[in-house]
Amino acid sequence: MPLSPVLPTSMRALVIDRTGGPDELHVAELPLPVAVGDELLVRVVAAGINPIDAKTRAGSGAAAAIAGYPTVLGNDFSGIVVRAPYDSFPLQPGDAVYGMARPPRIAGSYAEYLAVSSMSVARKPAAVSHIEAAGIPLAAMTAWGMVTLAKAGPGQRMLIHAGSGGVGHFAVQFARHLGAHVTTTGSTASVEFLHRLGAHEVIDYSTTRFEEQLSGLDSVIDLIGNVHDDTGTRSLAVLRPDGLLVNAPTGSWPTMQADAAAAGVRATGYKVAADARVLDTITTLIDNGSVRVNIHSVFDLDEGPAAHRAIEGGHTRGKIVLRVSDADESAA
């Protein structure tokens, strides 16, 4: 078993002392987390920013689970194992890993060290850096879960909304990889990008009403809901009878089930579960070049407020990532 490094007693972390706006985020010195049971202790090199992080910081999202302050947010991470659960565990100190934490029940990834269940961690794809890997777990596992729930495959016609976003840009690639005919919506500036991802058709939402162009689809991956322009409700009209809409922002459309039933189609929400087995599948697709992650922007840890303003501003192409530490990018 590799020797564990001598660890400091404290770490830098991006925290909130109360819910509120982006400026509630600030860097503080905290004790190192303690790994117990099957947990790994990981030195975090980079942490992905997701909309759920901003929602929780603002007081919605998962804020109801905050047990006390200061609270460390952040789901996605890529880093290096510094302590393993036991001697023969497959991941050992020095191994590069990535995965998904479970804040705010336990401290998240906006910190130099993270204690995380081994069921949520996989080896980092060798083809990407820690910065890139940190943009993958939550968004990619969400996308994988949604397109497989919708049974993406040969002969299926699928619409994916917001295809250039964090979840969307993975969903387009996964659906195409699985053999579906993929149509997606995006801005004028994103049309070329979406074609490069593998979309067969791209509808510019700024010039075209998608429901006027599409009909009889097997499924819709809805990453917008009714937050903007009743996108979710309008999507029901493009499905074939008994077609399926899979919605991720479930709180945005409380009448979804009733609306779908009235339209003669099906609809379901979706919540991602951290699963190392799914991450292993995604790792293979990243390493063999079938799927890629697009990083929109990178911020340092003390630029957390700016990173949250960026994610709340929307119109990101891929993922926003925090650079947390200077751990060795060459770790395997």
Side-chain angles (χ1 to χ4, degrees):
M1 175 181 178
L3 293 175
S4 296
V6 176
L7 299 177
T9 58
S10 64
M11 65 177 183
R12 295 175 73 242
L14 185 67
V15 306
I16 56 171
D17 295 327
R18 60 185 179 184
T19 57
D23 288 332
E24 295 297 337
L25 290 159
H26 63 96
V27 175
E29 197 78 10
L30 297 182
L32 254 64
V34 177
V36 297
D38 78 313
E39 292 177 339
L40 295 158
L41 185 63
V42 175
R43 182 171 183 189
V44 178
V45 178
I49 305 283
N50 290 287
I52 186 62
D53 303 347
K55 291 175 183 178
T56 301
R57 184 221 69 231
S60 58
I66 296 175
Y69 296 97
T71 290
V72 183
L73 301 176
N75 288 269
D76 288 337
F77 68 90
S78 184
I80 299 167
V81 176
V82 293
R83 283 187 182 158
Y86 52 87
D87 292 357
S88 59
F89 189 77
L91 299 171
Q92 288 294 313
D95 288 342
V97 295
Y98 73 147
M100 186 174 149
R102 295 304 299 268
R105 293 196 185 279
I106 58 173
S109 60
Y110 294 179
E112 290 179 318
Y113 291 87
L114 170 70
V116 60
S117 167
S118 61
M119 300 300 290
S120 306
V121 181
R123 291 189 184 276
K124 180 181 77 66
V128 298
S129 68
H130 283 292
I131 292 290
E132 293 167 305
I136 296 171
L138 186 149
M141 285 192 286
T142 300
W144 182 263
M146 294 180 79
V147 300
T148 55
L149 180 61
K151 295 182 169 54
Q156 190 193 58
R157 298 171 62 221
M158 174 180 286
L159 169 63
I160 298 171
H161 284 304
S164 63
V167 175
H169 88 293
F170 285 117
V172 168
Q173 295 178 84
F174 290 151
R176 177 63 186 260
H177 173 77
L178 292 169
H181 183 279
V182 180
T183 300
T184 188
T185 58
S187 66
T188 303
S190 296
V191 170
E192 183 180 346
F193 171 70
L194 290 165
H195 278 302
R196 290 200 306 268
L197 290 179
H200 295 91
E201 301 176 58
V202 180
I203 295 177
D204 183 343
Y205 63 72
S206 67
T207 62
T208 305
R209 302 289 281 185
F210 66 85
E211 69 271 28
E212 295 175 358
Q213 300 292 315
L214 302 171
S215 63
L217 300 186
D218 297 288
S219 60
V220 174
I221 302 300
D222 175 20
L223 302 172
I224 300 176
N226 280 349
V227 169
H228 176 72
D229 199 20
D230 292 331
T231 299
T233 302
R234 290 162 51 213
S235 297
L236 300 176
V238 309
L239 288 165
R240 62 168 170 78
D242 202 41
L244 176 65
L245 180 143
V246 184
N247 169 275
T250 51
S252 71
W253 185 8
T255 61
M256 179 181 71
Q257 293 286 358
D259 293 346
V265 299
R266 295 170 293 138
T268 181
Y270 182 78
K271 301 286 188 182
V272 66
D275 189 333
R277 296 166 299 178
V278 174
L279 268 180
D280 284 337
T281 298
I282 292 167
T283 296
T284 298
L285 295 175
I286 295 285
D287 278 340
N288 70 20
S290 298
V291 173
R292 61 189 178 91
V293 57
N294 193 77
I295 302 300
H296 182 271
S297 53
V298 181
F299 295 84
D300 289 330
L301 191 64
D302 58 5
E303 297 176 310
H308 270 228
R309 281 190 285 270
I311 196 80
E312 289 179 321
H315 305 293
T316 57
R317 187 176 295 178
K319 294 302 301 290
I320 297 172
V321 174
L322 283 178
R323 182 185 294 107
V324 176
S325 74
D326 296 324
D328 183 8
E329 279 277 355
S330 67

